[in-house]
Amino acid sequence: MCMSKFGTLLDRVAVGDAPDISDIVALLDASGEEADALFARADEIRRACFGDGILLRAIVEFSSRCSRDCAYCGLRKAHRQIKRYRMSTAEILASTLEAAACGIKTVVLQSGEDDTLDPSWLADVVRAIKSGSDMAVTLSVGEKPQEAYALWRRAGADRYLLKIETTNPALYRQLHPDMDIDRRMECLRVLRDLGYQVGSGSIVGLPGQTLEDLAQDILFFKRYDFDMIGIGPFIAHPGTPLGSEGDGEIDAVLRVLATTRIAVKNAHMPATTAVGSLEEDHRLAALKAGANVLMPNFTPQPYRQAYEIYPHKRCLTEVSGACVPCMETMASAIGRCVNYGRGDSLKIKV
Ligand code: SAH
């Protein structure tokens, strides 16, 4: 395709309320100078929405217990080789306060999808964080009953992350034998209705996934108008049924990220830990292709090593305090800065 035609295509996806799937696929298929133009447009839109500040979200992986069997995930119930833990309230508070002391104003509490998790215990944790700091609290603990979501919201939780992973129903079924895509979508609606800022996202490079599937994911993100969207590569975990598959390719991830930015505009989008955990760390490339968030890890040892969603996770052995200077260095390497604000959704209507 000639470059002026590609420019017209970019314009169409950027202005359209319901972009054509074939236009999205064409962007996802870009290479060479077309891919450069794609990343440049995404970067321009990111700057227009958020400026040059990179927001920080401290992640605390508070439990590796999981009742599900997602085919790609190292935390899956059937994987017996990892240590299962759940941090105590005091440990979670200590990690959160450590992040607060670094100037970070959001904590993401993430875990496996644990059926034995007591909703009122997590509500107490949220209340303790909210009464002891001015941190925004994001939860990421999977599909739960509406009452639990409501309880945590009343306790003060601000945001919720629940990735759809893939919107292809057949692929979803294959990867999540004990789950139901309609139920996951319903959870996302319930969370929105309860007033959470809601994040979703996808895994790129799943075995059998096509460009059309990825384009449908992007249309889904746009339709649901998510406040946050996390996109990362599939990373094969040897202890899972997909252990011998190849990892997702970074170029494909960057194209999905950039196309999503162009189509959805002002959702917060992290340069995910998974993007940083391929053979090389590609988070700077992601920040230059539309991402505006970094997620430093504040899970204390020895839990950090045990939370093995996928192998070779970035920063497995670093101490938490080292994160912020590292983020500052990353930001200045690309002429950006760290934004120490809370980073609430730009979509909140007041
Ligand atoms: N249990 C929670 C979240 C914990 S896992 C939930 O269901 O929402 C967090 C994210 O890690 C998942 O949403 C998934 O996108 C990602 N993940 C898990 N295994 C992965 C793998 N092998 N490669 C890439 N991403 C993976």
Side-chain angles (χ1 to χ4, degrees):
M1 188 183 306
C2 73
M3 281 313 284
S4 74
K5 215 167 148 203
F6 192 77
T8 313
L9 181 61
L10 282 171
D11 292 342
R12 263 208 311 272
V13 173
V15 299
D17 278 342
D20 206 273
I21 181 138
S22 59
D23 284 353
I24 304 272
V25 169
L27 294 187
L28 295 179
D29 209 16
S31 59
E33 43 172 4
E34 288 177 0
D36 293 342
L38 176 74
F39 300 148
R41 180 65 69 94
D43 200 40
E44 206 175 278
I45 294 175
R46 183 271 311 152
R47 180 173 299 118
C49 295
F50 304 104
D52 279 335
I54 297 170
L55 292 161
L56 301 184
R57 321 292 202 195
I59 181 157
V60 177
E61 298 150 332
F62 72 90
S63 166
S64 64
R65 297 189 196 170
C66 193
S67 315
R68 305 280 95 81
D69 258 322
C70 307
Y72 44 80
C73 186
L75 300 189
R76 70 200 304 270
K77 180 176 60 178
H79 187 211
R80 311 246 179 256
Q81 257 48 271
I82 61 162
K83 194 172 163 298
R84 304 288 174 172
Y85 67 88
R86 188 187 293 155
M87 288 167 62
S88 68
T89 305
E91 287 174 318
I92 297 171
L93 269 182
S95 297
T96 303
L97 293 179
E98 200 184 326
C102 292
I104 299 178
K105 301 212 175 47
T106 295
V107 63
V108 180
L109 302 182
Q110 192 182 78
S111 71
E113 192 168 304
D114 177 5
D115 287 342
T116 68
L117 179 89
D118 175 6
S120 56
W121 172 80
L122 187 56
D124 287 343
V125 172
V126 172
R127 260 190 297 271
I129 294 173
K130 299 299 286 192
S131 62
S133 73
D134 60 355
M135 301 275 268
V137 174
T138 304
L139 298 178
S140 175
V141 303
E143 295 175 27
K144 294 288 170 186
Q146 176 159 356
E147 304 76 60
Y149 289 154
L151 180 71
W152 300 330
R153 179 84 186 110
R154 284 198 302 277
D158 303 274
R159 311 180 188 140
Y160 204 100
L161 303 179
L162 186 71
K163 288 171 70 174
I164 198 71
E165 320 295 4
T166 175
T167 55
N168 176 327
L171 185 58
Y172 188 93
R173 215 172 305 121
Q174 213 178 307
L175 296 170
H176 310 96
D178 50 356
M179 293 164 77
D180 173 2
I181 194 167
D182 293 329
R183 157 132 180 83
R184 203 160 181 89
M185 291 189 180
E186 179 57 23
C187 285
L188 287 165
R189 270 188 290 270
V190 166
L191 289 162
R192 167 59 52 86
D193 290 347
L194 286 168
Y196 283 95
Q197 296 171 45
V198 181
S200 195
S202 60
I203 304 180
V204 176
L206 288 163
Q209 194 178 36
T210 64
L211 284 189
E212 282 72 21
D213 294 338
L214 295 167
Q216 291 291 1
D217 293 348
I218 294 172
L219 292 176
F220 169 76
F221 299 151
K222 188 165 171 70
R223 231 178 15 254
Y224 269 63
D225 197 24
F226 291 113
D227 303 292
M228 302 166 282
I229 302 169
I231 293 164
F234 163 67
I235 302 179
H237 189 304
T240 67
L242 302 182
S244 53
E245 302 285 344
D247 291 346
E249 284 172 21
I250 185 61
D251 289 346
V253 176
L254 295 177
R255 287 191 298 259
V256 174
L257 190 74
T259 306
T260 303
R261 169 62 74 212
I262 293 166
V264 311
K265 311 286 182 307
N266 65 356
H268 290 298
M269 295 177 62
T272 55
T273 309
V275 163
S277 302
L278 292 167
E279 248 160 64
E280 281 171 54
D281 184 347
H282 296 281
R283 284 178 295 178
L284 288 184
L287 289 169
K288 292 198 280 185
N292 70 308
V293 174
L294 282 168
M295 300 183 69
N297 192 328
F298 278 77
T299 313
Q301 300 292 5
Y303 306 126
R304 193 186 294 204
Q305 309 238 14
Y307 196 80
E308 201 188 70
I309 298 177
Y310 41 75
H312 316 301
K313 255 175 73 191
R314 189 61 47 188
C315 308
L316 265 191
T317 52
E318 276 81 350
V319 292
S320 305
C323 278
V324 171
C326 171
M327 307 273 128
E328 290 274 2
T329 307
M330 286 174 68
S332 59
I334 52 171
R336 308 252 285 270
C337 53
V338 170
N339 173 351
Y340 288 93
R342 256 172 66 111
D344 280 305
S345 172
L346 293 192
K347 297 169 193 274
I348 293 178
K349 293 147 198 97
V350 278

